[in-house]
Amino acid sequence: QVQVVESGGGSVQAGGSLTLSCVVSGSIFSIVAMGWYRQAPGNERELVARINSGGGIEYADDVKGRFTISRENAKNTVYLQMKSLKPEESDVYYCNAYVYTGIGVWDSYWGQGTQVTVSS
């Protein structure tokens, strides 16, 4: 059993900042990659940023230079620092962890999501 729990969402004015946190716990042998995705009602879930175990990072084009993803391996935690937020970035943000649980099993796990609301 693997649990993924996000925190840090909330409301902020346009141009403001928020930091999201995500902790992964449970039957984990290793975490291959962790990432943040967002989804607006009626839309598909889209990648915001992802970081792998080797430190490789990928960002969506529209957040480059404003968002920073980082991970704290010892705590199985990933962070997303968001700056200069825009109203159109008001979404539910989901954390994803791609985990090796051992005995040749890899699987993807999602958190419950945290709401980010940016007012104009």
Side-chain angles (χ1 to χ4, degrees):
Q1 195 81 0
V2 175
Q3 295 80 40
V4 179
V5 180
E6 305 103 333
S7 61
S11 297
V12 65
Q13 289 190 329
S17 301
L18 281 174
T19 297
L20 306 181
S21 301
C22 171
V23 180
V24 182
S25 61
S27 302
I28 302 166
F29 186 84
S30 65
I31 300 176
V32 178
M34 300 178 77
W36 290 96
Y37 294 73
R38 61 190 178 192
Q39 185 173 24
N43 290 352
E44 293 188 357
R45 196 168 295 186
E46 61 180 19
L47 174 70
V48 177
R50 182 168 54 210
I51 183 169
N52 62 34
S53 58
I57 292 174
E58 178 184 359
Y59 290 105
D61 287 342
D62 60 348
V63 307
K64 289 179 180 177
R66 298 185 298 117
F67 290 14
T68 303
I69 189 170
S70 60
R71 63 187 284 176
E72 200 169 352
N73 291 332
K75 295 183 178 181
N76 290 341
T77 300
V78 65
Y79 305 97
L80 183 68
Q81 294 179 295
M82 304 184 292
K83 298 181 179 179
S84 301
L85 282 160
K86 305 173 183 178
E88 56 265 36
E89 293 176 317
S90 297
D91 287 322
V92 179
Y93 285 68
Y94 295 90
C95 179
N96 175 267
Y98 189 61
V99 172
Y100 179 55
T101 58
I103 318 176
V105 177
W106 286 264
D107 212 344
S108 180
Y109 297 87
W110 292 94
Q112 78 287 350
T114 185
Q115 177 70 47
V116 171
T117 302
V118 186
S119 58
S120 56

